[in-house]
Amino acid sequence: MSETAHRASITGKIGFVFAASASAVGLGNLWRFPYLTSHYGGGIFVIIYIILALTFGFSLMIAEIALGRKTGKSCISAFGDLCKKYKWIGVIAALIPLLIVPYYCVIGGWVTKWFVTSATGELGTLADGSYWGQYITGEISGMSDPTAWFVIFVLLCVACVAIGVDKGIEKLSRILMPALFIMIIGITVYEFFAIDGIMDGINFYLNPDVSKLSGGTFLGAISQIFYSMSLAMGIMITYGSYMKKDVSIENSARNIGVIDTVVAILAGLMIIPAAFTMGFGDSSGMGLMFVALPQVFEGMPGGFVVAPIFYLLVLFAALTSAVSLLETVISVFVDLKAIRRKKSIIISTILIVFLGFFSVMGFGPWYFDIGPFSQGAGWLGVFDSLTNSVLMPIIAILTCIFIGYVIKVTVITDEIKEGGMAFRFEKPFVIMIKYVCPVLLTFMLVFGLLDMFGVFSLY
Ligand code: PFF
């Protein structure tokens, strides 16, 4: 779809929130939040996540949308437009999706595989607790099967942007996103009544245990906020550039943030207590969603129908998010290299398949471990940590400094108040962007990394 067509398509109030939420709600909420919560000790991670989402996440979301709307440009040009010398911040931010899309598509491939397998009557296979681990490491069908599903997911995304069905997908997501939401609630309620001892799992998920707090908890939570809310990588700047002046930036950011956080918390409630009660928990690592849920479905009346519908809805949520990431990658080449969109799609696809191949093979023959940074997931873990725990915090710090001290924060607050629009969060916003975010993010980044590598621990 052309830039102009897309720009025109999400200008309405609800349209904007829906489009940005469709980008925000994805594997981050359904796959990443639950396994991180499980890893970082349950309730304590949830509390820290919520506090950081309401402060850091909300402030950064407002700042990015306003930056985009002010300039009417996507990430690279937005920074350059306001101050030429700082265009590089936008360039680095826009390159982050190039490191994320490949491994995002590997997980998208697993979801596609789980959908097809459950739809073809083989839910029982997936429900075997060791299946996921053996599948991704190639013990069951070699590395060609995970590679094939990864490539299929990449091609699905590329097809969406190449044949210009982004707008159709956006419309479809207005039905499918609420459907996913209802399904998550339905499955959670079912588990509550059907799984013996589920209260212990709920207790683990919702009851904070302060003794489990570490520097890593903060870094993990902040990385998850960037990931889940699609921040610090240019996406929200681009969405902001599509936004009309008569739509409130503050209200939109709040709605997107609330939708995204509620879906994550509910997805956690659906997956973590069940996994905990069944004895999976942290031992499943990144596989939590693929290991625990099939067992729930298997025991559920009509589970053989519910499972494929659920994985299809997850697939759709992953696809809408991946497409928004892919659009950013494509626009980088178009903007930087002045090449045509078609050529850019081809280059992006080749790069994504190449980089993603490392993540697939990193579970098999190319496996390696460099401590917590690789999260026990080889290349995929390294790509994940590098982007979310290092590059995104750095971009967020730079964005705050850029807004607070280079262009001055009033440029952004004036944009938010354009046309007499109220900005109730203005004072805290200015304090957050100028002082709290850059200082605390720097601390979190430094101590989180030292903690991760075991050099130094705050606790
Ligand atoms: N926010 C989306 C998700 O949670 O899946 C998509 C996404 C954006 C993923 C940015 C990762 C990321 F770094």
Side-chain angles (χ1 to χ4, degrees):
M1 191 191 317
S2 74
E3 270 278 285
T4 0
H6 195 220
R7 246 166 236 284
S9 68
I10 55 171
T11 46
K13 265 182 219 170
I14 303 188
F16 178 80
V17 171
F18 252 107
S21 301
S23 156
V25 174
L27 292 172
N29 312 62
L30 302 155
W31 160 77
R32 200 172 188 272
F33 180 80
Y35 92 71
L36 280 191
T37 306
S38 187
H39 178 68
Y40 287 113
I44 188 70
F45 183 83
V46 178
I47 297 272
I48 289 182
Y49 181 83
I50 294 175
I51 295 172
L52 295 181
L54 291 175
T55 48
F56 284 67
F58 183 45
S59 305
L60 281 166
M61 171 99 64
I62 292 180
E64 290 198 14
I65 296 176
L67 210 56
R69 195 178 72 175
K70 165 91 195 153
T71 54
K73 301 274 170 61
S74 61
C75 180
I76 295 182
S77 321
F79 283 93
D81 241 38
L82 291 170
C83 187
K84 225 171 168 189
K85 247 173 55 193
Y86 292 90
K87 184 177 172 178
W88 57 271
I89 302 180
V91 177
I92 302 176
L95 281 172
I96 296 177
L98 182 58
L99 297 175
I100 290 181
V101 185
Y103 85 81
Y104 201 87
C105 290
V106 174
I107 302 145
W110 299 342
V111 175
T112 320
K113 162 89 181 173
W114 259 235
F115 160 60
V116 172
T117 309
S118 57
T120 48
E122 288 184 64
L123 180 60
T125 310
L126 303 177
D128 173 347
S130 51
Y131 183 78
W132 175 79
Q134 291 176 345
Y135 172 73
I136 59 160
T137 50
E139 277 169 58
I140 289 177
S141 45
M143 294 315 285
S144 55
D145 201 68
T147 309
W149 286 108
F150 152 65
V151 174
I152 289 171
F153 189 82
V154 173
L155 295 180
L156 271 177
C157 299
V158 174
C160 288
V161 297
I163 56 179
V165 292
D166 320 28
K167 204 172 166 190
I169 290 200
E170 221 173 272
K171 283 219 178 95
L172 204 58
S173 73
R174 292 183 187 211
I175 304 166
L176 296 187
M177 279 212 329
L180 177 64
F181 188 76
I182 291 167
M183 198 141 189
I184 292 174
I185 294 180
I187 295 169
T188 311
V189 171
Y190 164 79
E191 290 171 345
F192 187 78
F193 291 107
I195 300 180
D196 278 345
I198 191 88
M199 281 320 286
D200 291 341
I202 293 181
N203 195 38
F204 168 77
Y205 181 55
L206 294 178
N207 206 357
D209 178 352
V210 183
S211 69
K212 291 185 174 143
L213 202 61
S214 78
T217 319
F218 286 94
L219 188 64
I222 202 73
S223 83
Q224 178 58 17
I225 279 164
F226 296 139
Y227 192 103
S228 191
M229 293 188 170
S230 301
L231 296 171
M233 51 187 301
I235 292 190
M236 284 301 156
I237 298 182
T238 309
Y239 273 102
S241 71
Y242 303 141
M243 189 191 215
K244 258 190 172 176
K245 296 278 183 191
D246 62 354
V247 177
S248 161
I249 293 179
E250 184 181 22
N251 290 346
S252 303
R254 193 187 48 231
N255 292 340
I256 301 163
V258 168
I259 292 174
D260 189 70
T261 308
V262 167
V263 175
I265 305 274
L266 283 176
L269 193 57
M270 170 182 67
I271 294 172
I272 296 170
F276 182 90
T277 314
M278 292 169 177
F280 293 119
D282 192 29
S283 60
S284 310
M286 293 185 172
L288 201 59
M289 179 180 136
F290 301 95
V291 171
L293 281 180
Q295 290 210 352
V296 172
F297 291 133
E298 210 197 17
M300 186 187 263
F304 64 98
V305 180
V306 177
I309 297 176
F310 174 78
Y311 285 113
L312 185 64
L313 292 174
V314 176
L315 173 59
F316 186 82
L319 198 61
T320 49
S321 301
V323 164
S324 74
L325 285 160
L326 182 59
E327 279 289 358
T328 314
V329 175
I330 292 166
S331 70
V332 173
F333 293 116
V334 174
D335 277 15
L336 279 183
K337 294 261 168 229
I339 54 174
R340 307 235 325 213
R341 191 175 153 84
K342 213 170 161 186
K343 204 168 168 193
S344 175
I345 294 179
I346 296 170
I347 296 175
S348 308
T349 309
I350 294 171
L351 279 173
I352 289 165
V353 171
F354 175 73
L355 289 174
F357 193 61
F358 280 80
S359 290
V360 178
M361 295 311 258
F363 285 104
W366 299 356
Y367 185 77
F368 66 96
D369 196 309
I370 48 166
F373 199 73
S374 49
Q375 302 180 53
W379 280 102
L380 194 151
V382 170
F383 279 122
D384 185 88
S385 295
L386 178 66
T387 47
N388 301 295
S389 301
V390 180
L391 295 176
M392 284 148 98
I394 291 176
I395 290 299
I397 294 166
L398 290 172
T399 306
C400 292
I401 296 174
F402 179 78
I403 292 175
Y405 303 96
V406 178
I407 60 167
K408 301 286 183 288
V409 76
T410 45
V411 174
I412 293 300
T413 50
D414 286 351
E415 176 63 32
I416 296 163
K417 292 188 289 187
E418 169 94 24
M421 202 66 81
F423 184 21
R424 275 174 292 170
F425 191 63
E426 180 169 3
K427 272 202 187 121
F429 172 81
V430 173
I431 297 170
M432 285 299 295
I433 294 292
K434 285 185 81 168
Y435 311 107
V436 183
C437 287
V439 173
L440 281 187
L441 280 176
T442 308
F443 266 102
M444 267 182 224
L445 176 65
V446 173
F447 287 109
L449 281 177
L450 291 176
D451 185 280
M452 234 183 201
F453 284 105
V455 181
F456 175 87
S457 181
L458 280 176
Y459 297 91

